[in-house]
Amino acid sequence: MSRTERLTPSHRLWARHHPEPDPIAMKTLGFWLYMMSDALIFAGLFAAYAVLDHKFNAAGGPQIKNVVHPLEAFVQTIVVFTSVLAYSLAMVGLKARNRMFVLAGLLSAFVLGGVFLGLEINDFATLVAHGITPERSGLMSIFFVLIATHGLHMAFGMLWMAVMMAQVALKGFTTEVVTRLLNLRLFWVFQASIWVCMFVFVYLNGAF
């Protein structure tokens, strides 16, 4: 019996040379296709925002410079990148097969994601309290849709993270769990990248 055949399924995940096609890579291909569709959605929203970001589309109402706060958005940027760092540390724990390290990293990323969403919801609530709603103009509609779409993705990522914490605690590092953890890392980094685009394109460019 060869050395590879003696390995358990869990140990094969960390084997340097697979005699068979990498099972995680095969399962990740479909997720990459989903990520491409997600990128197209955000590309469409950014294009719509670029077209509508003009005073004529404000219908006499507030323009982007009146509703964005770059300093607060910068704080959100720091929070979301710290969350990505925490998730990356969880992946270090995964490489070491340390379950507690992974859970601590996931929990930290989850909490920081919650802080990010809390700041975003508070920003929306402040705007609505001042009568600035999506119905106010085409410009406000695309602004709310763009930011809210990203917020929904972040909320979904947090829900996924909570499920993964439960699966890591109950199942350990099976092939399915490791595959989902790696896909979630890709998803979380992608959302942070989208936020950077929003910070530059909407908050910085719109404020000046």
Side-chain angles (χ1 to χ4, degrees):
M1 181 181 294
S2 67
R3 179 177 178 278
T4 305
E5 290 173 327
R6 290 197 301 271
L7 294 174
T8 64
S10 176
H11 286 92
R12 285 176 185 164
L13 290 175
W14 281 266
R16 290 182 178 277
H17 304 290
H18 280 276
E20 305 167 350
D22 183 354
I24 292 179
M26 292 176 66
K27 293 181 179 179
T28 303
L29 176 61
F31 190 73
W32 271 103
L33 295 176
Y34 159 73
M35 293 296 293
M36 289 174 63
S37 67
D38 228 19
L40 289 175
I41 290 174
F42 279 109
L45 290 175
F46 275 115
Y49 175 83
V51 171
L52 293 172
D53 184 19
H54 193 280
K55 62 181 181 182
F56 292 147
N57 295 314
Q63 300 181 37
I64 292 299
K65 64 182 179 182
N66 304 125
V67 299
V68 296
H69 303 283
L71 185 58
E72 294 177 7
F74 178 71
V75 173
Q76 286 181 270
T77 305
I78 297 298
V79 171
V80 76
F81 270 101
T82 307
S83 178
V84 170
L85 175 62
Y87 199 100
S88 299
L89 291 175
M91 294 299 96
V92 174
L94 175 64
K95 192 173 182 180
R97 283 175 272 183
N98 187 322
R99 193 180 300 193
M100 291 306 297
F101 202 112
V102 172
L103 288 173
L106 290 176
L107 180 61
S108 301
F110 180 88
V111 171
L112 288 165
V115 172
F116 174 86
L117 273 184
L119 291 172
E120 196 162 273
I121 292 171
N122 179 65
D123 193 25
F124 272 15
T126 303
L127 291 176
V128 172
H130 287 82
I132 303 173
T133 61
E135 297 86 358
R136 184 65 184 81
S137 65
L139 179 56
M140 287 300 102
S141 294
I142 190 60
F143 171 76
F144 274 89
V145 169
L146 181 59
I147 304 300
T149 301
H150 177 260
L152 286 174
H153 279 75
M154 291 290 289
F156 174 76
M158 289 179 59
L159 176 62
W160 188 357
M161 218 174 284
V163 172
M164 291 317 302
M165 282 190 280
Q167 291 194 350
V168 169
L170 297 175
K171 298 182 179 179
F173 300 133
T174 63
T175 301
E176 288 73 21
V177 170
V178 172
T179 302
R180 292 165 192 152
L181 284 172
L182 294 176
N183 287 342
L184 178 55
R185 179 188 62 171
L186 178 64
F187 180 84
W188 204 239
V189 171
F190 177 70
Q191 297 311 320
S193 303
I194 292 294
W195 174 255
V196 171
C197 295
M198 288 186 180
F199 177 61
V200 174
F201 195 49
V202 177
Y203 288 88
L204 287 183
N205 186 52
F208 302 104

